[in-house]
Every structure is written in C-alpha cells, then in structure tokens.
Amino acid sequence: MREEGDKNPDPRNKIFDNMNDILDEWMGKGFHPMVMIDSNSEITEKNLNEFTGRNGLHDIITTGRDMDAPPSYAWGKKRIDFLLGNDHVQRAVINLGALGLYDGLKASDHTMQYVDLDEKLLFQDDTFTPMPGFHREFKLHDIKRKTHFQETLQKRYEHQNIAKRVNDLATRLENKPQLDEADITAYNDLDDEIVELILSTAKRVGRVDFGYQRSADLCIAGKTIRLHKAILSCIRNDIKYTESIESLASELNHQLPNREEINVRQAISNVNEAWKAKRVVEKEDGERRARWLEDICREIARETGQDADKTYQAMIKCALSKGMFKRLKAILKSEWSALDYIEIPNDKWYLDRELNELYEFDNGIFVAHSGFEQNLYEEYGSIKVLPKNAVVVEVEKSVDVIHVLNPDSNKAPSWTRVTKPEEMELWLMRRNKRHLQQMYIEKSPPTTEAFAPILEDYGTSTITDEILDGTFDVDSLDISDEMK
C-alpha cells in the first residue's frame, strides 16, 4: 500500500474494499455470495457491519435461529469467525452448528463451524449445474465415529509432530519484523498438511462397513493382484518401485522382480496369474474362512484362557445373525415394490412464495417457472418436484409471461387417488411422453434445424462418422461456437 503512494495505509479497510469489488463483479453476473471470514472482530464492528449491510450478507449460523454460537477464539470471549451468505444462501441451509473450543480439532485456537446446504435449492436457477459436492464423511451425533476420528487424528498429529512444528513456526514468525517468501511458504505447507490429515482421517473413519467376512487367503489374493498391477504400472511408465509397492511386497513376503529382467508382457502375465489364483481362492473361500476362524479362536483361547469351542460357537452365531439381518433388510426394505396407486393433483397452477417459483402441472409432471418481477413468471421452466408448502393459485398467460392473479392464496393442494391399472397406465404413458418431449419444448441444440441433420433418425449419419474419424470440417456447420 505504501508502494502505491498511500501514506496512511489501513489494511483492514483495503481488504473490505477489495472484497466489495469482487462481490460486485460476481453478483453482477447473477451469482450468490458465500463468504467465510476471520474478521478479528464481532459482527457488529463498524467496518464489518458496513460490509455485510452493503452486500446483503447475514451470519448464517445465528440469523433467524434461536441459538448462540460459542466464542470462536481461544484467547478471547468474542466470536470473530463467521459464515456469511445472502437471503438465497440462507434459504438453502438444511443443517448447521458450531463446536466448542478444541472440540473436533485440537491443534487450532479457533472453533469449528459448519453448514450443510441443499444443492438443488442453492443452484436452482443456474444454467450451469456444478458437480455435487462431497458430503461430510460422518455426522457429529455418531459418537463412535466421532471419537474414532479424534483419537486417530491425535495419533497422526503426534506422529507428524504437528503441535511442536506449529509452536516452532509461530515463535519464529513472531520474532521476525517482516515475513519473507520462505516464511509464507512454510506456513502454507504446514497448513496444507494439517488440512490433508483432517480430510484423510475423516475419509478413513467414515468408510461404511458393508459386513464382508473375507478369509485371510482371499485378502492376500486381492493384495497380490494389487501388487502385480502396481508393478506393471511402474514398468509401463519406466519409473522406480515406490515405497508403497516395496511395503506391500514385504507384507506379502514377495520378492520384487529385477527391473532389468522383467518386461511389460511378463508383468501382464503375472497380473493374469494373480487373478486366476484369486478365483481359485474364491471358490474355496467358505472352507478357508472356517479354518481361518478356527485359527483365530485357538489364538484367542491361548491368550485369554477361554474355551476355544465356546469362542468359535459365539463367532459363528454372530456371523449367522449378521447374515440373517442382511437378508431380512433386503426383504423388509426391498428396493422395488408393486405400484398399487398414483395420486393426481386436482389443480393446474401452484405457487411457492419462498422459492418465488410457479409450478404448472402438465400431463404428469410439474414444470417450475422462475419469477423475475412481482407476480410475473417466465414462460419456460424446468421439471421439478412440487414443494410441500406450495399453494393453489390462478394465473393469466400472455405471449411470453405468466401473471399470478391471487398470490396471497392459502388454498392447499388436493389430490385424486387413481387405483385402476388401466387409468394408472394411461397417466404413466402421458407422464413419460411429456418428460421425453422436454428437449423439444425447450428447443435444446439437438432439436434445432442446423443440428438435427447431424443426428438424423437414429443418432448416426455420414456426418457423425466423419466426426468420429476426425475428418469432418466443423467450421462448415452453421451453428454457434458453443455447439461446435
């Protein structure tokens, strides 16, 4: 800032000015802001209050909810960390919370805050739909996994000596009047390492136990395949054996082949042989598993002094109960069941005031029309499920707009149950036909006059063959750059 000629620099105000410029740019493009900030002040502080008010941002954790988040910093009694979002983001919140100090992450002097968002609601009007985000590996009310996560993460921290490294870095930076590039790199590297430890531990703890009971021989056979595939990868890419390959080979007591004495063909043959060996083990896995369980029982009996037969019977009973539970679950919670009725709405138009969307019932599906002005909605829409809080309304349609005549209506939707197979089949056919016509109704690119000849009737043509061969001149088509 001084290099730019500012004789009285105010870094805090400069940061807010830069953030305002960024938000103005993206909000001008139709995006909704979500800001995560360590503000070093309460939400009511003058500069932060002006920033949130100017951009229409709210404290997501506490706004509209009867809850007080705990102080977010170890060395103070105030909350200085916030998740901020506008009204659109606020409506998409489905779960949120704030943890106590050192709860969940003991290496930080700040508390953890989290928000779960309904992605369909969050991105409802975007022409670009992002890939679904990764959801939390486990939830905090799962005491078993939560405790396992904390214990495992603590062990990893101790193994990586995280606490000492954080304290050493803090002391080093505190005693330096000005940070250089090496200091910034050291800080970022340590921060990245801590984040990776947290994510990998959560992923490991959150793995679902599907209840498989493999014998030791089958596990060894599977690891052997993995080892030979890794060896093949190293040979194909002309790289040295990695530490993980050497560790796996040591675990399997397998002698790694000399790199100069093995080629790709031999490595592929080894992979195939490993697969064949695994199939042989799979056929005999029941007997091998029984022998494996007997060995475990005898080992437990030697260590605990208990009767091996009783231990073996208890393990068999546990395995049978587990298998029976899985079969009962498949029967009682079958994925598919017969369709014995359907319900048809008695009205055509429905309004959701919270989402500002108008829903039209059209031959078995609901089409959502987005609002752009008060009581006015777009002609075209997208297929969605009718929300629970929608009300029946009356509308008036013009050439390119739909006008809601009674937006204050409180009439709840009503339904007619159809149970006759003939009527049900008729409605399902109408619904499927309307759903498949969506592309033509929205005039998607494949239905345009310029694009249709490429696909012809069955999706293949002389043009598609040339495109697949790489010999077609795409620039000769009279279509937009996006379609090209």
Side-chain angles (χ1 to χ4, degrees):
M1 293 175 67
R2 294 186 186 277
E3 292 177 356
E4 295 176 355
D6 191 345
K7 297 182 179 179
N8 297 303
D10 187 340
R12 184 177 178 82
N13 279 338
K14 182 66 174 177
I15 290 174
F16 282 125
D17 289 340
N18 291 341
M19 292 176 67
N20 284 331
D21 294 338
I22 294 172
L23 292 181
D24 287 344
E25 176 186 354
W26 288 98
M27 291 170 68
K29 297 177 182 179
F31 288 86
H32 299 283
M34 186 173 179
V35 180
M36 294 171 282
I37 182 172
D38 175 1
S39 65
N40 288 326
S41 69
E42 292 186 289
I43 194 77
T44 54
E45 187 267 337
K46 181 177 180 296
N47 291 336
L48 181 57
N49 190 41
E50 290 177 356
F51 169 73
T52 56
R54 176 188 184 277
N55 296 293
L57 302 175
H58 314 289
D59 177 11
I60 298 177
I61 298 295
T62 59
T63 299
R65 293 169 176 83
D66 186 18
M67 67 171 289
D68 293 323
S72 62
Y73 186 52
W75 313 111
K77 298 182 178 180
K78 299 178 180 179
R79 181 161 166 260
I80 62 174
D81 301 283
F82 301 96
L83 294 167
L84 307 175
N86 65 359
D87 291 335
H88 179 81
V89 175
Q90 193 80 32
R91 286 195 295 268
V93 174
I94 55 179
N95 190 27
L96 53 81
L99 306 185
L101 189 61
Y102 303 130
D103 188 5
L105 185 60
K106 299 182 180 180
S108 174
D109 56 0
H110 289 251
T111 63
M112 297 179 67
Q113 302 178 59
Y114 63 90
V115 172
D116 289 335
L117 300 167
D118 184 336
E119 295 183 26
K120 291 184 179 180
L121 180 57
L122 195 64
F123 301 110
Q124 60 176 341
D125 294 325
D126 288 355
T127 54
F128 168 73
T129 302
M131 290 289 291
F134 291 105
H135 296 287
R136 191 166 293 109
E137 300 294 347
F138 62 93
K139 295 188 177 181
L140 295 176
H141 58 69
D142 188 341
I143 303 299
K144 182 179 178 181
R145 281 198 170 98
K146 174 185 173 183
T147 304
H148 185 28
F149 168 77
Q150 292 174 320
E151 293 174 349
T152 305
L153 185 60
Q154 185 64 34
K155 290 179 181 178
R156 290 187 169 190
Y157 277 171
E158 293 172 358
H159 181 268
Q160 298 298 111
N161 207 11
I162 294 295
K164 184 177 184 304
R165 291 164 61 191
V166 169
N167 291 329
D168 291 346
L169 181 61
T171 303
R172 191 179 95 194
L173 300 182
E174 186 177 11
N175 295 330
K176 296 190 69 171
Q178 186 174 359
L179 303 182
D180 53 28
E181 190 66 29
D183 296 327
I184 297 174
T185 301
Y187 176 89
N188 289 332
D189 288 346
L190 183 56
D191 181 70
D192 291 341
E193 183 177 348
I194 292 173
V195 171
E196 288 298 328
L197 282 173
I198 295 171
L199 294 178
S200 62
T201 304
K203 185 174 183 179
R204 179 179 178 182
V205 171
R207 290 175 183 168
V208 178
D209 180 11
F210 291 101
Y212 298 128
Q213 296 181 353
R214 301 182 178 95
S215 68
D217 290 340
L218 185 57
C219 293
I220 292 173
K223 290 180 179 180
T224 303
I225 294 174
R226 185 153 56 94
L227 175 63
H228 285 295
K229 290 174 70 175
I231 293 173
L232 173 61
S233 178
C234 288
I235 294 172
R236 275 180 170 167
N237 295 286
D238 194 23
I239 59 177
K240 296 180 179 180
Y241 293 139
T242 63
E243 291 183 5
S244 60
I245 292 178
E246 293 176 350
S247 175
L248 183 57
S250 175
E251 179 185 348
L252 297 173
N253 197 23
H254 181 89
Q255 181 66 38
L256 288 173
N258 192 314
R259 289 293 308 278
E260 298 177 356
E261 298 176 359
I262 185 171
N263 53 31
V264 173
R265 177 174 293 182
Q266 182 60 47
I268 293 175
S269 176
N270 291 342
V271 172
N272 292 334
E273 290 299 323
W275 274 109
K276 291 178 182 178
K278 179 174 178 288
R279 294 190 185 99
V280 172
V281 174
E282 286 175 342
K283 292 179 181 179
E284 304 173 355
D285 189 51
E287 297 177 3
R288 292 172 183 263
R289 186 189 301 120
R291 291 196 296 269
W292 172 56
L293 289 175
E294 290 176 356
D295 292 339
I296 293 177
C297 290
R298 284 193 289 269
E299 185 66 27
I300 293 175
R302 281 196 298 268
E303 293 179 356
T304 62
Q306 297 178 356
D307 182 37
D309 290 336
K310 289 184 178 180
T311 305
Y312 186 53
Q313 293 300 324
M315 294 179 68
I316 292 176
K317 184 178 180 181
C318 179
L320 291 174
S321 299
K322 199 168 189 178
M324 183 177 64
F325 174 75
K326 291 173 68 175
R327 290 193 295 272
L328 287 174
K329 185 177 180 182
I331 296 171
L332 298 176
K333 296 186 177 181
S334 176
E335 186 176 358
W336 304 103
S337 60
L339 186 66
D340 52 3
Y341 73 90
I342 59 175
E343 290 185 332
I344 308 300
N346 295 324
D347 299 279
K348 184 176 180 63
W349 297 96
Y350 303 84
L351 176 65
D352 187 320
R353 299 188 186 92
E354 291 186 8
L355 302 179
N356 193 25
E357 287 185 334
L358 180 67
Y359 290 78
E360 175 187 6
F361 180 70
D362 184 8
N363 287 302
I365 66 173
F366 287 98
V367 181
H369 304 268
S370 298
F372 61 93
E373 288 186 15
Q374 187 175 5
N375 301 333
L376 297 180
Y377 296 82
E378 300 282 357
E379 177 186 7
Y380 292 104
S382 57
I383 297 175
K384 289 188 177 182
V385 177
L386 184 69
K388 294 181 179 180
N389 56 347
V391 295
V392 179
V393 294
E394 297 179 2
V395 306
E396 185 178 79
K397 296 184 67 174
S398 60
V399 178
D400 56 356
V401 69
I402 306 173
H403 179 212
V404 176
L405 301 178
N406 56 336
D408 297 328
S409 170
N410 292 318
K411 182 180 177 182
S414 58
W415 306 78
T416 298
R417 178 168 293 194
V418 178
T419 56
K420 293 183 178 180
E422 299 82 5
E423 295 183 22
M424 291 168 57
E425 182 181 7
L426 178 62
W427 269 108
L428 291 174
M429 292 175 63
R430 289 174 61 182
R431 182 264 175 203
N432 292 341
K433 181 179 179 180
R434 171 61 181 81
H435 185 71
L436 294 173
Q437 290 175 338
Q438 183 71 11
M439 187 168 62
Y440 289 89
I441 293 173
E442 295 179 351
K443 299 180 181 179
S444 297
T447 66
T448 60
E449 185 176 352
F451 203 97
I454 300 176
L455 302 177
E456 291 188 354
D457 292 336
Y458 303 104
T460 58
S461 65
T462 304
I463 297 178
T464 58
D465 292 339
E466 292 177 358
I467 291 174
L468 294 173
D469 293 337
T471 59
F472 183 72
D473 182 12
V474 180
D475 294 330
S476 65
L477 293 176
D478 185 21
I479 57 178
S480 65
D481 293 337
E482 291 76 13
M483 292 171 66
K484 293 178 183 179

